[in-house]
Amino acid sequence: MSRVSNEFAHPDLGDVELDAVLAALADPHRRRVVVELAAEPERERTCASFNLPVARSTRTHHWRVLREAGLVHQRAAGNTSYLLLRRTEIDDRFPGLLDTVVSLTGATAR
Amino acid sequence: MSRVSNEFAHPDLGDVELDAVLAALADPHRRRVVVELAAEPERERTCASFNLPVARSTRTHHWRVLREAGLVHQRAAGNTSYLLLRRTEIDDRFPGLLDTVVSLTGATAR
């Protein structure tokens, strides 16, 4: 089951498989977004604030992959779209995963 | 730089990016192989001992992805091929990653 929020669908974390989360995190741009969000987990950020060196269509694809993996909540307001890390839910479903990936992304070459 | 061992090339872990390791682990069959190897980390297992429900060509692809991600060492002997988890090297390069993934694979639906 999934909830719709301002046009974006978000899965329940209980329905998300580890496969999808690891695949989402395997991309360095998506991982960078997650790591940056994790640095201020309560803060919603605009999609535009992530300076990814990719085409607009690719950015849109990345937001969708992150949403479908249950990693972020995306909300549209006017022409702006916001991302929030689903930190507590992810930690409940996949204990230790975000901490490990955040720590490794800082420690190794991206 | 990579070393060649009985026809199979294996990367130095220092040259392996987190992207490749997460992508390798995102596939449930490859993850199952890694988790099973991790249960007996000193034990070399034959490729044939992994009962993956996939075509032979897909199995060969999985071994290659695991090798290229630095996760396994593969050795051929006659008609048989063996896999060994590069446990110590992976733990040195990506501390906590294998433990987390093994633990989550046991805890959540595969």
Side-chain angles (χ1 to χ4, degrees), chain B residues 7-8 46-48 56 74-82:
Chain B
E7 298 177 28
F8 294 114
T46 64
C47 291
R56 184 181 173 86
Q74 186 172 4
R75 175 177 73 84
N79 288 326
T80 307
S81 177
Y82 297 86

Side-chain angles (χ1 to χ4, degrees), chain B residues 6-28:
Chain B
N6 291 298
E7 298 177 28
F8 294 114
H10 296 91
D12 287 335
L13 259 292
D15 295 332
V16 171
E17 298 296 339
L18 185 54
D19 309 7
V21 180
L22 291 175
L25 293 170
D27 178 89

